[in-house]
Amino acid sequence: SSGINAEWPLRPGMEVVLKYQLQDCSAPFPSIKFEGKADSDDIKISGLKYGCQLIVEYGVRLNLIPPNTETAAVEQLCQDVARALSAQQHGALKGVKFDWFVSVVYLLFGGQIARARSFLITFSPTLTSGYLWSLRLLNSTHVKQEIASSGLTVIYYNAC
């Protein structure tokens, strides 16, 4: 099962992305798994409140989400994704950056968390995710330790 519901109304251009991803056979990374909230406090994400506020304001201005949208939904999505990605990272999380990719996915799916999660789960194991979703492979167990510990994304590490 691909995790993508074909009946969803998609934003212009998303059909192409989803069609490409569903045909992509290579899955070099395991899919992220959203599990229940951990016993510990939420993961500390630098700039979470400010980033979510900007995303919601931007989404409202572009009529991607309703005007009365609160930041709680996108904050929770970012927390859940950070928790899911932490299971695939070296060592304990010290400082997590705000995930702009996840926030943009939230906007592309009109603020619908279930759709955004479904896409992220489907997209996460693909090779493309390593390049477009910069925090996906940051400090990841799926790349060499020297690259993971450098703090650079795979793209910058390979280019320099």
Side-chain angles (χ1 to χ4, degrees):
S1 165
S2 66
I4 300 293
N5 183 343
E7 296 175 12
W8 290 343
L10 300 173
R11 300 249 182 253
M14 284 302 294
E15 308 89 23
V16 175
V17 172
L18 295 177
K19 182 178 178 186
Y20 170 75
Q21 288 303 320
L22 295 176
Q23 291 175 350
D24 188 7
C25 302
S26 61
F29 313 117
S31 182
I32 60 172
K33 294 178 180 25
F34 290 105
E35 297 173 358
K37 192 170 182 176
D39 296 344
S40 63
D41 293 335
D42 285 337
I43 293 174
K44 303 264 188 274
I45 300 174
S46 64
L48 177 67
K49 296 273 186 206
Y50 182 67
C52 291
Q53 206 172 26
L54 283 177
I55 285 295
V56 168
E57 287 175 14
Y58 187 65
V60 168
R61 266 191 224 141
L62 294 176
N63 293 321
L64 297 173
I65 54 178
N68 58 351
T69 302
E70 297 291 326
T71 60
V74 70
E75 286 176 22
Q76 189 59 52
L77 180 64
C78 288
Q79 287 286 345
D80 292 346
V81 169
R83 197 173 296 107
L85 289 178
S86 70
Q88 299 178 10
Q89 293 179 333
H90 292 286
L93 290 172
K94 294 177 185 163
V96 179
K97 298 175 183 175
F98 183 73
D99 198 334
W100 290 102
F101 180 80
V102 170
S103 300
V104 169
V105 168
Y106 167 82
L107 289 180
L108 286 172
F109 288 102
Q112 295 181 15
I113 298 298
R115 289 174 57 192
R117 277 180 187 228
S118 180
F119 173 78
L120 291 168
I121 289 168
T122 303
F123 184 67
S124 66
T126 64
L127 184 59
T128 310
S129 73
Y131 290 97
L132 295 179
W133 189 356
S134 60
L135 293 184
R136 167 83 174 101
L137 294 181
L138 192 63
N139 201 24
S140 175
T141 58
H142 310 299
V143 295
K144 293 179 187 175
Q145 178 64 33
E146 67 183 45
I147 298 171
S149 62
S150 72
L152 296 173
T153 63
V154 176
I155 294 172
Y156 295 132
Y157 190 84
N158 287 334
C160 296

